[in-house]
Amino acid sequence: MSNIRKAEKKDFDSIFSIIEESFPADEYRDYDDHKRLFDRSAFTIYVIPDDEEQSIKAFITLWEFDDFAYIEHFAVSQKYRNQGLGGELLNYLAKNLNGTVCLEVEPPVTETAKRRIGFYERNGFTLNEYPYIQPAFSKDKKPVELMIMTSNGKVSKEEFELIKSTLYKEVYKV
């Protein structure tokens, strides 16, 4: 078991470099906007550190709301992939959070997207078929067509609308 802990501001550069290597540009905030999230009480980043190299092996960003938790970004540094670290982080959250956890995924149209969905399904998440658009993170970025996966099985249309409206208001500020 790795030494999972909450991130500190000193970890941010290492985390952001993993974000840049793991996500398309339209799927994350710019450096300064992302760093400001540390000041939001609902937002936490959990990390698996590489203490020897003073860097981060893997991280998961989490928003905790009254009715559910939302995983915004989740990635393992390329150097440490295929070592079970992603599953370890998801198991840690499952044991330490109450209620539903949700996350966004690309629709299952590419092999990479299908593999990613399969990984989340093996870790207890279910794909919900409701249409969903991730709003643009800033004026210079585009909205992205995604889908919502949830722990504890599929959600009703009503629960989905609550998740969507909360994300739009609290995370994307639209």
Side-chain angles (χ1 to χ4, degrees):
M1 184 85 176
S2 298
N3 184 24
I4 297 171
R5 63 169 171 79
K6 287 186 178 184
E8 301 163 20
K9 282 198 176 177
K10 70 177 176 61
D11 300 319
F12 184 73
D13 287 347
S14 184
I15 292 166
F16 197 77
S17 70
I18 300 170
I19 289 173
E20 289 178 311
E21 79 184 19
S22 303
F23 294 93
D26 285 329
E27 293 184 21
Y28 61 90
R29 293 170 183 78
D30 70 28
Y31 180 91
D32 292 328
D33 286 346
H34 214 95
K35 195 165 190 175
R36 277 193 282 278
L37 293 177
F38 271 97
D39 300 326
R40 300 280 303 273
S41 61
F43 183 82
T44 307
I45 303 176
Y46 292 93
V47 296
I48 297 177
D50 180 338
D51 294 323
E52 290 176 22
E53 294 195 24
Q54 299 293 304
S55 65
I56 301 300
K57 293 180 181 180
F59 75 91
I60 197 163
T61 60
L62 188 73
W63 293 82
E64 292 183 75
F65 303 112
D66 291 340
D67 299 304
F68 66 95
Y70 163 61
I71 296 171
E72 182 175 301
H73 291 104
F74 170 43
V76 177
S77 175
Q78 288 177 348
K79 181 177 170 180
Y80 300 103
R81 289 188 182 152
N82 301 313
Q83 297 178 21
L85 298 176
E88 212 173 296
L89 271 171
L90 287 175
N91 283 330
Y92 176 85
L93 286 185
K95 288 179 184 147
N96 290 286
L97 293 176
N98 295 318
T100 299
V101 178
C102 72
L103 52 87
E104 300 163 331
V105 292
E106 294 168 350
V109 293
T110 66
E111 282 310 307
T112 300
K114 289 175 187 172
R115 267 197 322 274
R116 194 169 289 131
I117 289 166
F119 166 78
Y120 288 121
E121 287 173 339
R122 288 189 302 279
N123 283 280
F125 285 80
T126 304
L127 190 64
N128 293 276
E129 300 293 332
Y130 308 111
Y132 177 80
I133 302 290
Q134 178 194 65
F137 274 110
S138 62
K139 289 183 179 83
D140 60 331
K141 300 201 177 199
K142 295 179 179 65
V144 181
E145 182 182 345
L146 297 173
M147 298 179 81
I148 297 285
M149 294 188 79
T150 49
S151 63
N152 304 327
K154 288 189 179 194
V155 294
S156 68
K157 180 73 171 157
E158 185 179 272
E159 291 168 308
F160 172 80
E161 290 301 328
L162 171 71
I163 288 169
K164 180 178 163 183
S165 65
T166 302
L167 296 179
Y168 279 22
K169 180 180 168 207
E170 299 296 330
V171 175
Y172 298 106
K173 301 293 185 190
V174 295

